[in-house]
Amino acid sequence: MNNLKRVIVDYKKLTPEVLKLLVDKYPDGYGDNDVINFRNLKGELIEAVEVSTDDTKYLVKISSKLEHTMANFDDDDDDDDLDTEDLGKIPDDDDEDFSDSEEE
């Protein structure tokens, strides 16, 4: 028998732990087959994706902002590997492209 606590949560109230679980479970985003549809107490149709911890099953409400939040969370992880030396550097007018080659 499944005794997980069930929680419906909006993206604005996601903890970093749940957001990480979402990004880990759906690294390339979620598809139509991942979406769960149900009606809330007001009769409104809700779309959500599911993610679980050891003791809780979360239904995270879908919105375009959820997708943006997941993408930014994934990008933030990549920032650790980013070489910031050339950030903000604008090529001279003589440079035709942004390539790394030193040939001229």
Side-chain angles (χ1 to χ4, degrees):
M1 184 169 196
N2 193 347
N3 291 326
L4 293 178
K5 181 171 124 181
R6 297 168 190 252
V7 177
I8 300 170
V9 64
D10 191 77
Y11 82 95
K12 293 179 224 171
K13 297 184 180 184
L14 285 178
T15 64
E17 174 193 18
V18 174
L19 184 54
K20 181 173 181 359
L21 289 171
L22 275 171
V23 171
D24 290 347
K25 185 171 181 178
Y26 307 107
D28 298 321
Y30 48 84
D32 291 340
N33 292 336
D34 301 315
V35 176
I36 299 167
N37 296 304
F38 62 94
R39 295 205 178 268
N40 65 9
L41 294 174
K42 297 178 184 178
E44 301 165 329
L45 183 62
I46 304 294
E47 294 182 326
V49 290
E50 181 182 302
V51 67
S52 298
T53 62
D54 291 336
D55 62 349
T56 306
K57 181 182 289 188
Y58 293 93
L59 291 178
V60 181
K61 294 180 189 178
I62 293 177
S63 71
S64 60
K65 292 181 181 180
L66 171 62
E67 294 171 17
H68 181 74
T69 302
M70 287 174 67
N72 284 341
F73 181 83
D74 202 23
D75 290 345
D76 289 346
D77 284 351
D78 293 341
D79 287 348
D80 295 340
D81 300 329
L82 184 63
D83 181 7
T84 57
E85 183 177 326
D86 292 330
L87 283 180
K89 184 177 178 183
I90 300 174
D92 295 333
D93 290 339
D94 297 337
D95 293 341
E96 292 183 18
D97 63 22
F98 289 86
S99 67
D100 290 336
S101 68
E102 297 291 326
E103 299 172 20
E104 290 193 24

